[in-house]
Each structure stands twice: as C-alpha cells, then as structure tokens.
Amino acid sequence: MQSSTGMYNYSSSPSGITDPPSIVPVLMLCLLGVIGNSIAVTIVCCTARSHRWRPFHRYVCGLALTDGIGVMLALPFAIHRYTTNFQFTYSYTVCSYMSVVQMFTIIASAMIVCLMSIDRFMALICPYVYKSVKKGRHSTVTLACIWGVCAFLSSGHLMAGRSSRLFYPDSWCFVNFVSDNPTDLGFAFLYALTGLLVLVVTFITNMILLAIVLQRKCSKSSAIIANKHGTYIILFLFSIVLLFSICILPILINMLGHLFGTFEGWPSFELLGIEMATTNSIIDPWIYIIFRKETFSLAQTLYYKCLCIKRNTQSTGYHLRSDNSVTCTSSM
C-alpha cells in the first residue's frame, strides 16, 4: 500500500495471514489495562491526604495515567482488526498515530519506573538533600520533561519525513527498524539505545537500593529506617523492576537484532515483543495495588485472625494491636 507521499511500503507480514493469532490476548490486555490503571489512579487520588502527593505517588499516578491512556488510545484499533478477521487495514494516518502512541507509552513507562527508582534511591542515600528540595514542583516538572522527551523519541521519524511500519499481523505500528534508510535506522537506534540505558540504570539503581535496605533492615541500629523502607517496598521495587526488565527486553532485542543484522524476518517474535511491552503497561498498576502497605497490613490481619480461629474457635479470642498484628487471648 502506498501513501500520498509515496513512501508507504510498510508491512512486514508474510503474504496472507493463514494462521491468525487469537484475539483473546488483545482483549484481555485492553480490559485489564483500563481497569487496573483506573483503580491505581483512584487509589492514589483518594489517599492523597495521607501521602500528601509526595514525589513517589506523583510518579505512580503519572505511570498509571501514561499506561492507561496509551492502552485506551491504541488497542481499540488492534481489536477492530482482529474482529474483522484481519480485513480492516490501517491507513497511513492511523499507522502513524498507532506508532506514536505505542512507542510513547512504552518508553515513557520505562522512564517513569526508572524515575521512581532514582527517587527512592535519593531518599535513602541522601535524605537531607532530598528533604531540602521542593519535591512537589520538582517532580511535576520532571514528569513533564520526560513526557516531552518521549514525545520526540516517538514521533521524531515522522517529523523527519519518514513513515511508520506495520508489523505482523498488521495490527501494530512502530518506527521502521527493518528499513535500509539511514534516517529510519538512526531513530530506531536512538529509541532502542534509550530504552536499553533506562533498563540498565533502573536495574543497577534498584539492586543497590535493595541491598542497602536489606542491610539496614537486619541492623538493629537502623530499626527506624528499616521499618520505613519495609518489606512491602522491597517487594514492590523488586517486582516492578523484574517485570519491567522481562517485558521490555523482547522489543529491544528485536530492534537491536535487526539493526545489527543478527536476525531478520521473525514475525512471531516481533509480535511477542510488542505484546510483552504492552503487558508491562497492564501489570504495573496491579503491582502497585497489591504491594501497597495497606494491602500487606490487611493480609497480615486476616492471617492472624484465621490463625486464632483455627487454634481454638471457642476458647481463644484475639485483639488487633497498633502494628496491625493480632494477638490471641483466651476468653474467660
């Protein structure tokens, strides 16, 4: 298919889709993405009185908004193509739009996760410097800058006069990293290199942070710090970094592999890359919902209540302590 610019040779799918992929993963991604990110934004906003919009919670809200809006803007087009048995084809405009939305969501989510890690790192390593900064205004400006940089990375190839490319099964668009054109390859390399650097910084920062937290948690002289940066934060950071690393690697491997000529013509792996990157945007809010301190407190309370009931339903009672644990007491 050619566009009015004469550059729209854009599909990497094999001729004819004889074994089309299932629509179920796309539907589940869309449903879970909208619900999860909506819940995350609602929780952050409703608990604003307690967290007072500290930078970490601003970043969580920014991450949920980025992921949720990205899912709502991009996936309906893919769902429509699946429901029409792949008869619906994207126009040049729709493909360009899809590429910008999908690229923006992936790289912006990655940068915000990295920013969350750096924020926790600075709060733990340099607490006095961290407290002296006007964190509310600083974090908002930082988020705006990240969105601006990601917008350039996602649309730079279009501003340079190039077109996006459809990838198998012609349901998602991206910068043309399989092209022979130097401009396409340059923007693809810039995007992939940025993603790789963000991944490395995020991983290293969190490994150092987790090591320090675990060390202080085991130190009797740092009981207050260990309590503040407790188990739920350790699990949250470890989970979100692990998820981020697993989900973003396939698309980066795809891009870098094509750019360096390591492999080519692997449609199923290209599809896996975009699905994994989208999955990251879907699961991020659920990790926040599950690994909140309040969720751990509720689970701990329910566990001790069940334990007391199991020991002796009639002769043993329990009462809730200030630290959210439950103490069994024998009834008189």
Side-chain angles (χ1 to χ4, degrees):
M1 183 180 295
Q2 298 288 328
S3 72
S4 58
T5 62
M7 295 190 305
Y8 202 29
N9 184 12
Y10 68 153
S11 176
S12 66
S13 296
S15 57
I17 301 177
T18 57
D19 188 18
S22 172
I23 191 177
V24 175
V26 181
L27 286 174
M28 292 301 296
L29 288 176
C30 186
L31 182 62
L32 293 175
V34 172
I35 294 176
N37 287 288
S38 299
I39 293 176
V41 172
T42 301
I43 290 176
V44 174
C45 293
C46 290
T47 58
R49 180 176 297 180
S50 61
H51 61 66
R52 299 179 182 178
W53 286 110
R54 295 185 181 91
F56 185 81
H57 294 88
R58 289 175 185 261
Y59 298 149
V60 170
C61 188
L63 178 64
L65 288 174
T66 301
D67 290 340
I69 293 175
V71 169
M72 288 189 292
L73 292 180
L75 286 186
F77 289 94
I79 292 174
H80 183 52
R81 174 161 171 77
Y82 278 77
T83 55
T84 59
N85 198 26
F86 297 91
Q87 298 302 309
F88 169 71
T89 56
Y90 296 160
S91 65
Y92 174 83
T93 303
V94 171
C95 187
S96 300
Y97 161 83
M98 285 276 288
S99 68
V100 172
V101 171
Q102 291 181 310
M103 292 174 66
F104 177 87
T105 303
I106 292 171
I107 197 67
S109 297
M111 286 191 177
I112 294 175
V113 170
C114 182
L115 191 62
M116 292 165 62
S117 302
I118 294 175
D119 176 78
R120 292 296 85 199
F121 182 84
M122 293 299 298
L124 188 61
I125 302 300
C126 308
Y128 297 107
V129 176
Y130 182 80
K131 291 179 181 180
S132 65
V133 179
K134 295 181 178 179
K135 296 181 290 294
R137 182 181 302 177
H138 175 76
S139 58
T140 303
V141 172
T142 304
L143 272 176
C145 291
I146 284 180
W147 285 327
V149 171
C150 293
F152 169 75
L153 289 173
S154 306
S155 59
H157 64 290
L158 298 177
M159 292 187 289
R162 302 302 300 170
S163 61
S164 301
R165 186 181 182 91
L166 267 173
F167 289 88
Y168 175 83
D170 290 357
S171 60
W172 62 283
C173 295
F174 224 73
V175 61
N176 192 356
F177 55 83
V178 299
S179 172
D180 294 329
N181 183 275
T183 303
D184 289 330
L185 296 179
F187 279 103
F189 182 75
L190 178 62
Y191 187 90
L193 181 62
T194 302
L196 184 61
L197 289 175
V198 169
L199 175 61
V200 171
V201 171
T202 303
F203 182 80
I204 293 176
T205 302
N206 277 276
M207 290 305 101
I208 296 175
L209 179 61
L210 294 180
I212 294 174
V213 170
L214 289 174
Q215 181 183 14
R216 294 188 179 184
K217 192 173 181 63
C218 296
S219 174
K220 295 181 180 180
S221 60
S222 304
I224 297 178
I225 297 178
N227 182 61
K228 183 177 180 180
H229 301 274
T231 304
Y232 76 98
I233 289 184
I234 296 175
L235 290 175
F236 173 76
L237 288 176
F238 180 79
S239 300
I240 202 168
V241 172
L242 181 63
L243 169 71
F244 164 67
S245 302
I246 294 174
C247 289
I248 202 175
L249 271 177
I251 191 68
L252 294 180
I253 292 174
N254 259 308
M255 297 182 71
L256 293 174
H258 281 287
L259 290 172
F260 290 106
T262 305
F263 57 83
E264 58 183 39
W266 201 349
S268 58
F269 189 51
E270 293 168 356
L271 178 61
L272 175 64
I274 190 65
E275 286 181 342
M276 291 291 288
T278 305
T279 300
N280 180 68
S281 300
I282 307 305
I283 303 181
D284 276 344
W286 293 102
I287 292 180
Y288 172 71
I289 294 169
I290 294 172
F291 290 110
R292 296 175 66 243
K293 184 176 181 180
E294 292 79 2
T295 305
F296 274 83
S297 298
L298 176 61
Q300 186 181 30
T301 301
L302 293 176
Y303 169 76
Y304 281 110
K305 285 182 179 180
C306 293
L307 186 63
C308 290
I309 294 174
K310 184 177 179 180
R311 286 180 177 177
N312 195 326
T313 306
Q314 296 181 348
S315 62
T316 304
Y318 58 84
H319 69 272
L320 184 64
R321 294 166 54 185
S322 59
D323 60 354
N324 293 314
S325 64
V326 177
T327 300
C328 298
T329 57
S330 299
S331 56
M332 301 300 293

